[in-house]
Amino acid sequence: MRDWQRIEEIFGSVAELEPAERSGRLDHLCGSDSELRREVESLLASHEEASTAFLDRPVVEVGGRALPGALRLGAAASR
Amino acid sequence: MGIEHSAKKSAPETWSEPAEPPAPEDDLTGLLVAWGEGDPEAGEELMRRVSGRLRRLAGRFLRQERKDHTLETADLINEAYLRLIRQENVTWESRRHFFAMTGKMMRRILVDHARRRAFSKHGGHLERLPQEALQDQAADAGDENLIALGGALDALAEESEELSTVVELRYFVGLTGDEIAESLGISRPTVQRRWKTARAWLYRYMKLKSDEVGRERTP
C-alpha cells in the first residue's frame, strides 16, 4: 500500500509550481525514492492533461449554488 | 437494503412532508452520540435512517430528471447534517465516519441509478417520447461516465479512503471545500490537496480504462 499522505503532500506542493521548477523540487522531496517520484510525476501529467471541466461541477445541487454537470472526461480525452 | 418499510411506505414523495418525526437532526445527533460512545446498534440505525432519507430524496430527483430539476440536497445537508458539526458531544471520529458514509451512500445511489437506467434502455424498454430520445445521447454519455467514475472510485478507495471520500463529498453530495474541511475535521489546504490528487488519479484511471476499451473495439 502506497503512502498516500506523502504522495498527496508532494503532489500538492509541486503542482503549484511552474513546470520548469518542478524537477528540482521533486529531486529535493523524493530523494532517491524513484517509485514515489514516478507516481507523483504520473499524477502531475494527468493533472495537466485533465480538462478543467473534469469533475468540476457536482452532480448534485446544494442550495442552488451548483448545477448538475457531466463529467466531461470524453471531451478532455479526445483533445 | 430491506429496511424501508412500515411508515415509510406511505410517505409522500416530496421531502417537504417527511413522514418522520419533526426535528430529525436531534434524533440523528442522539444516535451519533451513542455510536461515538461505542454502541454499534446506534451506528446501524443511524446509517439506516440516513440511507432511507437519501434514497427518498434521490428518488424524487431521479424521477424528475431531464426536466432541469436538480437534486436539492440542501434540506438534507444544511438543515440536518451540517448541524452535527456543531454538536460538541459528538466525537470527531464518528462525525468523520458519518460524513464519509454519507458520501459513499450518495455515490452508490446515483451510480446504481445510472447503471439501471443504462441497462433498461439498452435492454429494450421503449419508454421515452421521440423528442426526449434526442436528448438522450447526452444523458447516455453522462450515465456512462458516471458508471465509469463509480468503478474508478471503488479502485481509488482501495488505495486511499481519504482520497475517495473527498471526491464523494464534493461531487456526489455537493459540499464546498470549506464544508468538507469542517465535516472531516481537516484543514482546507488538505482538502484541496486531496481533491487535486484524487482528481488526477481518477483521470488517469478512467483514461486508461477508456483507452483499453478503445483498443478492444478497434483491434
Side-chain angles (χ1 to χ4, degrees), chain A residues 4-77:
Chain A
W4 282 102
Q5 197 181 331
R6 185 132 179 259
I7 293 171
E8 162 201 314
E9 280 168 12
I10 296 175
F11 171 83
S13 80
V14 177
E16 286 174 5
L17 301 175
E18 292 298 317
E21 299 167 9
R22 288 178 181 171
S23 180
R25 187 65 172 268
L26 283 170
D27 288 341
H28 175 67
L29 293 171
C30 300
S32 61
D33 191 339
S34 58
E35 198 190 324
L36 174 67
R37 181 169 181 145
R38 264 200 307 279
E39 177 62 18
V40 175
E41 283 181 331
S42 165
L43 288 171
L44 284 168
S46 296
H47 174 69
E48 295 297 328
E49 192 184 319
S51 143
T52 50
F54 180 58
L55 300 181
D56 184 44
R57 287 152 80 189
V59 77
V60 297
E61 173 181 30
V62 178
R65 75 181 170 222
L67 294 164
L71 285 162
R72 315 282 166 83
L73 177 81

Side-chain angles (χ1 to χ4, degrees), chain B residues 151-171:
Chain B
L153 275 166
D154 280 333
L156 179 59
E158 297 259 312
E159 291 278 344
S160 165
E161 290 266 358
E162 286 166 342
L163 293 180
S164 61
T165 294
V166 168
V167 176
E168 283 160 348
L169 289 178
R170 176 162 163 173
Y171 192 77

Side-chain angles (χ1 to χ4, degrees), chain B residues 186-204:
Chain B
I186 56 180
S187 73
R188 181 66 215 269
T190 300
V191 172
Q192 203 53 31
R193 266 202 328 261
R194 284 186 190 168
W195 166 252
K196 277 190 187 168
T197 309
R199 187 175 166 279
W201 194 99
L202 290 167
Y203 181 83
R204 183 177 67 184

